[in-house]
Amino acid sequence: MSLTTCNVIITQQSEKAVTITRSLSRALQLSKAKMITLRLGNKSISVPVKIWKREGNVLALPLSIASSIHLPSAGNCMVKSNNGREIQLGPLIGILAGPANNSALPFGGRTGFIREFMQAGANKAFYIAFAPHQVDWNREVVTGYFPNANGKWIRKTVPLPDVVYNRSPSRRAENSAAMTSFKTKFVNRRIPLFNWSFFDKWDVYRLLDGDQEAAKYVPESVNNPSSDQIRRMMEKHRFVYLKPNTGSLGIGIYRLTYNPNRGYYARFRRNGSNVLIRFPRFAGLFNMLQRQNVKLQYYVLQQGVRLIEMENCPIDFRFHLTKNGHNQWVAAGIGAKKAGRGSVTTHVRSGGQLMMPEQVLKSAFGSRGDHVLEHAKEVAIKLAEAIERNYNHTLAELGFDLGIDQNEKVWMFEANAKPGRSIFKHPSLKAQGRTSLVNLYEHCLYLSRFYARREG
């Protein structure tokens, strides 16, 4: 494969021929045939080719040819040739974003993130952001949005893309049979689609349960626990967490504690406030859960872990992992999260505070802090590799909530297939946020075969 970048120009000439500079022809190792196949996404056309004596890597298309392959705009992009008789422009990267309801922006609150992602590969790729209903499978085209040079969102129709980054925001929609069928249509056309769907908590624990390398980092967990299992685990571990299987942002989580001398405690969040209630007997605690309408069939019970603390507040860590252009997992961003006083979780909405991991680990472990952080990175990558081994779909982004105890042991509490990006709001993590997007862009190159591939 020959691969380079070029500047695509759209002309008003009437002759239906592709004109390329001599240097671009040499870079692509084109044959001397007078006809080539020009391709964008899944659209192609056979056209005459002419050599241009202009300097640089330039490709000129008459408007008629640009329209026939649904080229969204002129400008810089990558270009490759596999056999000397074909030119493929691209990559055409699709972002499956879901519709925005009642918003002036095409994708509501997600619009800013989508713009940031598109900027990571600016002048090196074509992008289209779209919702499922905007795909015409009969014509094999997508009508969606991309920003023009002035930053305004323009509606365009393009071919089916070379790769799809799934950022559909609705867990309910993702779990529907219609959405599964929709995504499968891309895969059946050999169009890579990554980040297939949201994870339920138990899905992750089940994926890792049989993996000897990864299972040791997961606390003891029980799906759909009975009252007896809750009581026994409280007595065994002294404290446990009840977590909604499909929850997020710490909503609906209960921390349950057992003190042999004082009884049973429940800590949770209600009406925007942190609540702590003591019960002399387990029956009182369980009755409270029933009154709170906690349906255990939708919950996971998990062993509590004594985490490192600052100012008597526990700390956990968000590891934002992405794949890069060499198909390798990397820890693109790491944030430490300090729990608010009396809070069940470390989420900012519950009073939590975002901090730099180096600061926290130096406070907890002194000069060993850097070593502990490097070990935690290694664990996060092992966990990502294990999930990927045991998962049936393509992954390129994962968010892990990890904890570290006083003995430096790393624990994995949750894994998210579509992680939020709130840690990158910290001023010291903005550069890591940009790096994560560059990694994803380069992985799109890898998946779409617009990259010099190196396995490993």
Side-chain angles (χ1 to χ4, degrees):
M1 180 186 75
S2 303
L3 175 70
T4 187
T5 58
C6 75
N7 180 23
V8 178
I9 298 173
I10 298 176
T11 71
Q12 298 298 323
Q13 70 186 55
S14 58
E15 183 181 5
K16 290 188 175 182
V18 173
T19 305
I20 65 173
T21 56
R22 194 176 304 279
S23 62
L24 180 57
S25 177
R26 286 196 297 265
L28 295 177
Q29 299 179 16
L30 294 183
S31 69
K32 294 184 179 180
K34 294 182 178 181
M35 299 288 291
I36 63 159
T37 299
L38 180 67
R39 183 180 299 276
L40 176 70
N42 69 322
K43 298 294 183 186
S44 63
I45 184 173
S46 182
V47 291
V49 61
K50 297 170 61 177
I51 300 300
W52 196 3
K53 293 184 178 180
R54 175 173 169 170
E55 294 293 322
N57 288 352
V58 183
L59 183 150
L61 298 177
L63 181 59
S64 58
I65 292 178
S67 298
S68 69
I69 61 171
H70 297 286
L71 183 73
S73 65
N76 294 323
C77 68
M78 302 190 78
V79 58
K80 68 173 183 174
S81 178
N82 291 319
N83 54 20
R85 293 181 174 84
E86 177 183 287
I87 295 177
Q88 184 172 358
L89 305 175
L92 178 56
I93 299 173
I95 303 105
L96 179 58
N101 298 320
N102 304 318
S103 174
L105 298 172
F107 302 102
R110 301 176 301 281
T111 305
F113 162 71
I114 291 169
R115 187 190 298 275
E116 283 185 61
F117 174 61
M118 291 178 169
Q119 289 171 345
N123 299 319
K124 294 181 182 178
F126 299 110
Y127 291 90
I128 190 78
F130 63 96
H133 71 273
Q134 293 175 306
V135 179
D136 184 333
W137 293 110
N138 292 324
R139 296 172 55 214
E140 294 196 319
V141 295
V142 178
T143 300
Y145 294 88
F146 75 99
N148 65 8
N150 298 320
K152 293 183 178 180
W153 291 95
I154 304 298
R155 185 180 169 95
K156 289 278 188 176
T157 296
V158 299
L160 293 180
D162 296 303
V163 59
V164 178
Y165 175 21
N166 182 14
R167 288 298 299 197
S168 177
S170 170
R171 183 182 289 268
R172 178 178 297 179
E174 286 271 76
N175 292 334
S176 70
M179 189 65 166
T180 299
S181 174
F182 171 81
K183 292 181 290 189
T184 300
K185 289 178 180 178
F186 284 105
V187 177
N188 289 343
R189 287 167 170 79
R190 297 187 177 181
I191 298 172
L193 182 148
F194 63 90
N195 292 14
W196 185 262
S197 67
F198 291 91
F199 287 155
D200 290 347
K201 292 179 177 62
W202 190 249
D203 290 340
V204 177
Y205 306 146
R206 180 176 47 79
L207 286 172
L208 296 178
D209 185 53
D211 197 295
Q212 188 174 5
E213 180 62 30
K216 60 187 176 183
Y217 301 111
V218 181
E220 182 181 355
S221 305
V222 177
N223 192 38
N224 183 17
S226 66
S227 61
D228 282 345
Q229 286 174 316
I230 296 173
R231 180 180 52 79
R232 287 198 299 268
M233 276 187 64
M234 289 180 71
E235 292 173 355
K236 176 181 179 180
H237 297 294
R238 291 297 187 258
F239 75 101
V240 297
Y241 287 91
L242 263 180
K243 302 178 178 180
N245 199 7
T246 59
S248 62
L249 302 175
I251 297 170
I253 293 180
Y254 293 79
R255 173 177 162 139
L256 309 178
T257 305
Y258 171 63
N259 184 314
N261 299 319
R262 303 195 63 188
Y264 299 84
Y265 294 81
R267 191 182 292 277
F268 57 99
R269 193 162 178 83
R270 182 172 62 192
N271 299 327
S273 300
N274 297 321
V275 177
L276 176 64
I277 307 176
R278 185 179 77 86
F279 304 89
R281 291 177 294 277
F282 176 79
L285 180 146
F286 192 74
N287 288 338
M288 181 276 298
L289 292 175
Q290 291 181 311
R291 290 195 302 273
Q292 290 287 117
N293 201 30
V294 174
K295 294 181 173 20
L296 293 178
Q297 65 266 36
Y298 303 122
Y299 271 73
V300 172
L301 176 68
Q302 190 169 81
Q303 161 194 351
V305 176
R306 298 287 177 188
L307 301 175
I308 59 173
E309 297 182 346
M310 288 188 72
E311 300 170 344
N312 297 317
C313 295
I315 302 279
D316 68 13
F317 300 83
R318 166 54 65 93
F319 279 67
H320 195 112
L321 270 67
T322 57
K323 279 201 156 185
N324 63 15
H326 299 300
N327 200 32
Q328 301 164 326
W329 286 104
V330 293
I334 308 170
K337 299 180 294 177
K338 175 185 172 185
R341 292 202 175 275
S343 176
V344 181
T345 72
T346 58
H347 291 87
V348 173
R349 63 182 293 157
S350 302
Q353 179 184 354
L354 185 61
M355 307 176 72
M356 295 301 294
E358 294 84 358
Q359 172 191 0
V360 170
L361 292 172
K362 182 177 181 181
S363 173
F365 299 110
S367 60
R368 286 190 56 78
D370 290 344
H371 170 79
V372 173
L373 182 58
E374 287 304 311
H375 174 61
K377 288 181 185 178
E378 293 171 3
V379 170
I381 290 171
K382 286 180 182 177
L383 289 166
E385 291 171 343
I387 290 174
E388 186 179 27
R389 276 196 302 272
N390 297 296
Y391 191 57
N392 293 328
H393 303 287
T394 303
L395 290 168
E397 185 177 30
L398 287 168
F400 288 111
D401 289 334
L402 302 184
I404 301 174
D405 65 23
Q406 294 289 349
N407 297 318
E408 301 183 9
K409 179 173 172 58
V410 178
W411 299 87
M412 189 215 78
F413 302 125
E414 293 187 24
N416 301 284
K418 296 186 181 182
R421 300 182 59 82
S422 59
I423 64 169
F424 299 125
K425 293 179 182 178
H426 192 289
S428 298
L429 292 173
K430 288 187 181 297
Q432 293 185 20
R434 289 190 292 271
T435 297
S436 72
L437 297 177
V438 171
N439 288 344
L440 287 173
Y441 159 70
E442 292 185 348
H443 193 63
C444 286
L445 299 184
Y446 174 88
L447 291 174
S448 61
R449 300 179 182 271
F450 272 85
Y451 205 83
R453 295 166 72 96
R454 185 190 75 189
E455 300 298 331

